[in-house]
Every structure is written in C-alpha cells, then in structure tokens.
Amino acid sequence: MELVENVVCPFCGTLCDDIICKVENNEIVGTINACRIGHSKFVHTEGAMRWKKPMIRQGDEFVETTYDEAIEKAAQVLANSKRPLMYGWSCTDCEAQGVGVDLAEKTGAVIDNTASVCHGPSVLALQDVGYPICTFGEVKNRADVVVYWGCNPMHAHPRHLSRNVFSRGFFRERGRADRTLVVVDPRKSDSSKLADIHLQVDFDKDYELLDAIRAVVHGKEILYDEVAGIPREEIYEVAEALKNAQFGILFFGMGITHSRGKHRNIDTAICLVQELNDASKWTLIPMRGHYNVTGFNQVCTWESGFPYCVDFATGEPRYNPGETGANDLLQNKEADSMMVIASDPGAHFPQKALERMAEIPVIAIEPHRTPTTEMADIIIPPAIVGMEAEGSAYRMEGVPIRMRKVVESDLLSDKQILEKLRDRVQEIKASQAK
C-alpha cells in the first residue's frame, strides 16, 4: 500500500489540503484526515455508476463510442446552435474553466455556473458594497468571535469548524476556549448545538435582524420587544459581543442568500461588517459549496470582466443576471442546446427548466451516472480532478490551491476534452464562413 500525502480534497469549498490517500493497485482504498463526505468521494471513484467510455444516445439507449466521435458530434451541436448554453463548471479545475470561457466566446454562447442558483446573490452584493474578506489562516490565528449565519457547517462543510474554530492559532492558543461562537439559524442544528449564542431567527427575517444589529452598533435603541423572533435583550448582547471582538469573522451561507431579500441581505451583512470595523476588526467569508465554484467566478472575471451569467451572443461579453442565467434561458425556451460540465442540473433545476432540457440536445461532460446524464444525448466522461488529474482550484475565500493527481487514468481530463472541442468548433465555424 502506498500513502500519498498532502492531497487536496475535491469536495467542498473548504479544500482541505492535508488528506492522505491509501492507494493499492492504482485505486484509492482509504483516506486519513478526510471527513466522511470527502472520504466517500475518494473511495467511490471507481463505482458501479462510473462512465468509462463516451456514450451517444440512439433512440432510448446509449451506445458506446470513441472520444473523437463524441467530441465531433458535440462540436457539431454547439457550432450549429443559435443560442447554446454552457452550464456548471464548479467541480473542475481553473485551467478547464479558462478553456470553457474561450469556447463560449467562440460559439457565441451563454456561460453560467452553479453560483446562479446558490451564492449568486453574494456576488451581486459584493459588486454593490464591497468585499471585506480575509483568509482561513487569519481566522485560525486571530478570530475570537466567529459567526455562522444561514449555514450548517457540521453537515455541509464537516471540517470547517475543526479547522477554523476548534484549532489552535498563534493568538488563540487554546483554540475553541478562546473563541465565542454565534450561530444564526431558524432551526436547531448540529452546528447550533456547539454555539455559545444561538439566535433562532424567524424564517425570512434575516434582513430585519441584521438591520436591528446595525442600529444597536450605531448606538440606537430598539423600540420593539423583539425583532425577527429575537428578544431585544439578546440583540443588545450579541451587538456588544460583536463590537468587543478583537478579530471577528462572519461566515454566511445559502440560508441567507436564498431567504427573502436575497442579495439585499448580503448587502446589509457586508455593511454591518464594515461598520463593526469602526470599533474592532471584522471580515466575512461566504460558505461556498462546490470545491471550485469560487474559481469559476475568478476565471470568468479575468476572461470576460464578469463572474457568471455571461452572454457572448453579440461577440462581446454581456452580463445581466435574471436574463442571462441558465434557468432564465431554459425556462424562457431561448437555449437551443446545452453543455453541462461538472454539475447536475437534472437533479436540482425546477421542472420547467428540465422540460426544456428534454427538448434540446444536451452534452454532459460527467464522470458518473446522474439525472443529467439520463437526459443527455452525448456523454463524455472525464478524469476526476484532484484524484485522476491535477489542476488549480480556489478555496471559498479566494486562495488558489494546486490539486494533485493521485492515481492514473485512461480518461481525458476536462481541459483536454474542452480543448479538442474548442479546436473542432473553430474548424467548423471557419468552414461555414467560407
């Protein structure tokens, strides 16, 4: 058995970089340090549901084919589409994402990632009012007040608390004992059980509570006995704890980005953090889900000037979330073809969007059998980044990390597939222009 050290986990935005993989006969058979979800992803790489060869739909069945034939058919679909949609990108490396943006530009496509259905409101808010962010290293070494708002890291990011709250830091030598943990969640969760203060806010009342805390921070009095289900005295207590922090961090999740108020909730959360900096030091970090969803927003911004929902139909990038998002194009029946990579909209999109997906050609670049591949016309299986291929990814707070290759694979990487697809699309476009 071989032990491969310093492996980066390709599951969530925490991107744990201290994983040790146990490898036997070119297969990962166990892990050390990984959480249960990360361990499951590593050891289930070789599963019964894994696609080993490209597939093309013929009637009601999939027929095995070659990479060249699958890429040729996919290129024909994209090159001949008037309104192609390219969606996903959050579970692949930055190098593949860069080629994807180039492919979208070459085909006049709309390119969007999973942020449009998760932390898209966070991106809109930071464009409005700024982004007072820091790194995990600063949190571990400095933070004495930690707030989790609208998220449950014990389930969604299982090692987040152990790496950022319970771990000992340079100025927090006792770890958890040196920190005050605040959880804001309408429900009692496994994360809230660990909290020193649990604010059980009413559903859809995050904006009201944030504004109430901002008012107290500014020295104003609250006129009501409770706000958003939280007694006035508790709001005063929390505001005082936030103001007295030496270094505070607000982690926020989809519970606040997708409750009533959407990006305005994040607007006022960012404003609260900025105002707390008048009395102490405060930052915030969004709890990004997929391991490289942040990376796509970074790469797409480098290449086009916009983070997601980018429309290249006119030859120039155009950005208008609400019109150029994947769900918008599908539900309005604008998209006439779709390429899905590194995500599973078939399992998560609303019914109306799925109905449109069933009507148009769908290309799935996906290693495993999923609801999306069941709807696809062409399936191109890639090597899995972080296990069978190397690449770069961005942690949830924007720190780039290199992901290493652990085992060998005969499959092409996402980047190689997209490069072949882009080159063939260019050839088809050039022949059409003659």
Side-chain angles (χ1 to χ4, degrees):
M1 180 186 294
E2 179 189 1
L3 295 181
V4 182
E5 299 182 346
N6 300 320
V7 176
V8 178
C9 176
F11 172 65
C12 75
T14 309
L15 277 181
C16 298
D17 55 2
D18 60 345
I19 310 301
I20 301 172
C21 289
K22 302 175 182 178
V23 179
E24 283 186 1
N25 300 321
N26 198 44
E27 183 177 341
I28 301 171
V29 297
T31 62
I32 300 172
N33 293 334
C35 70
R36 282 182 292 179
I37 304 175
H39 172 81
S40 177
K41 181 158 186 178
F42 276 111
V43 300
H44 290 163
T45 303
E46 302 294 330
M49 311 301 283
R50 182 79 187 268
W51 298 109
K52 291 293 189 179
K53 296 287 184 181
M55 310 292 282
I56 293 178
R57 185 182 294 278
Q58 291 185 1
D60 294 330
E61 296 182 350
F62 284 113
V63 177
E64 190 176 302
T65 186
T66 63
Y67 270 110
D68 288 342
E69 185 179 353
I71 289 170
E72 173 65 28
K73 288 188 177 294
Q76 291 288 348
V77 168
L78 294 175
N80 293 308
S81 295
K82 293 182 178 178
R83 194 74 166 137
L85 169 63
M86 299 178 183
Y87 175 80
W89 308 101
S90 297
C91 287
T92 188
D93 58 290
C94 293
E95 291 79 6
Q97 292 166 350
V99 178
V101 175
D102 191 25
L103 175 61
E105 187 173 5
K106 297 283 192 297
T107 55
V110 173
I111 187 166
D112 189 19
N113 85 317
T114 56
S116 65
V117 293
C118 62
H119 271 278
S122 304
V123 177
L124 296 177
L126 67 91
Q127 290 172 334
D128 282 345
V129 293
Y131 200 24
I133 198 167
C134 71
T135 66
F136 281 176
E138 290 176 280
V139 175
K140 173 184 173 181
N141 289 308
R142 297 177 181 276
D144 62 327
V145 177
V146 180
V147 181
Y148 285 99
W149 197 308
C151 53
N152 184 9
M154 283 292 289
H155 285 215
H157 304 80
R159 296 189 70 206
H160 200 278
L161 280 157
S162 65
R163 289 170 67 87
N164 295 293
V165 177
F166 286 86
S167 58
R168 296 174 180 176
F170 188 85
F171 298 106
R172 302 290 167 242
E173 296 180 352
R174 297 185 300 162
R176 174 68 179 88
D178 284 342
R179 308 185 205 271
T180 300
L181 179 60
V182 181
V183 172
V184 185
D185 196 317
R187 301 164 300 171
K188 291 181 179 178
S189 65
D190 287 332
S191 299
S192 71
K193 292 175 186 176
L194 302 172
D196 299 299
I197 302 172
H198 176 206
L199 298 181
Q200 204 161 350
V201 61
D202 287 343
F203 284 101
D204 279 339
K205 298 290 185 180
D206 299 279
Y207 188 93
E208 288 88 337
L209 181 56
L210 282 163
D211 251 11
I213 295 173
R214 287 180 67 191
V216 175
V217 168
H218 278 287
K220 308 295 183 183
E221 290 189 12
I222 298 176
L223 303 179
Y224 304 98
D225 292 335
E226 65 174 42
V227 176
I230 307 300
R232 176 170 51 194
E233 292 72 21
E234 279 192 47
I235 296 174
Y236 284 131
E237 177 189 349
V238 169
E240 195 64 25
L242 302 187
K243 287 170 64 178
N244 291 332
Q246 292 179 353
F247 189 106
I249 176 68
L250 168 62
F251 293 108
F252 63 94
M254 287 176 58
I256 183 172
T257 65
H258 282 262
S259 61
R260 184 179 298 165
K262 307 283 182 163
H263 66 285
R264 295 305 177 197
N265 294 335
I266 314 304
D267 276 1
T268 197
I270 294 172
C271 288
L272 169 62
V273 167
Q274 291 171 338
E275 290 156 5
L276 283 168
N277 275 283
D278 291 337
S280 58
K281 173 65 178 177
W282 271 85
T283 60
L284 87 171
I285 296 174
M287 296 286 281
R288 307 301 296 266
H290 298 86
Y291 76 83
N292 203 24
V293 61
T294 303
F296 178 82
N297 299 142
Q298 295 270 1
V299 172
C300 196
T301 303
W302 304 340
E303 300 291 337
S304 70
F306 305 110
Y308 68 114
C309 295
V310 182
D311 184 359
F312 286 101
T314 63
E316 299 290 336
R318 192 169 67 91
Y319 171 68
N320 192 18
E323 178 194 351
T324 57
N327 267 291
D328 307 304
L329 263 70
L330 291 170
Q331 294 187 46
N332 294 333
K333 297 195 171 184
E334 289 184 48
D336 61 353
S337 70
M338 184 177 185
M339 184 181 81
V340 179
I341 176 171
S343 68
D344 188 14
H348 301 103
F349 274 13
Q351 182 68 26
K352 195 174 178 182
L354 298 183
E355 289 172 359
R356 182 57 179 169
M357 286 178 64
E359 297 171 354
I360 62 177
V362 175
I363 303 156
I365 302 177
E366 170 61 41
H368 294 99
R369 186 182 180 189
T370 66
T372 299
T373 62
E374 293 301 296
M375 304 175 68
D377 299 283
I378 304 166
I379 301 171
I380 307 176
I384 299 175
V385 178
M387 285 181 269
E388 302 163 341
E390 64 177 4
S392 304
Y394 274 75
R395 210 161 58 189
M396 63 173 67
E397 88 280 34
V399 172
I401 296 178
R402 188 68 179 171
M403 307 183 73
R404 66 183 303 179
K405 183 178 184 178
V406 180
V407 295
E408 298 295 328
S409 174
D410 295 331
L411 301 173
L412 297 178
S413 68
D414 289 311
K415 180 173 181 279
Q416 291 171 322
I417 292 168
L418 290 166
E419 285 175 336
K420 287 176 176 288
L421 191 53
R422 178 195 60 191
D423 294 345
R424 183 60 188 133
V425 164
Q426 280 185 288
E427 292 172 1
I428 295 170
K429 290 282 190 182
S431 64
Q432 290 173 345
K434 291 180 182 178

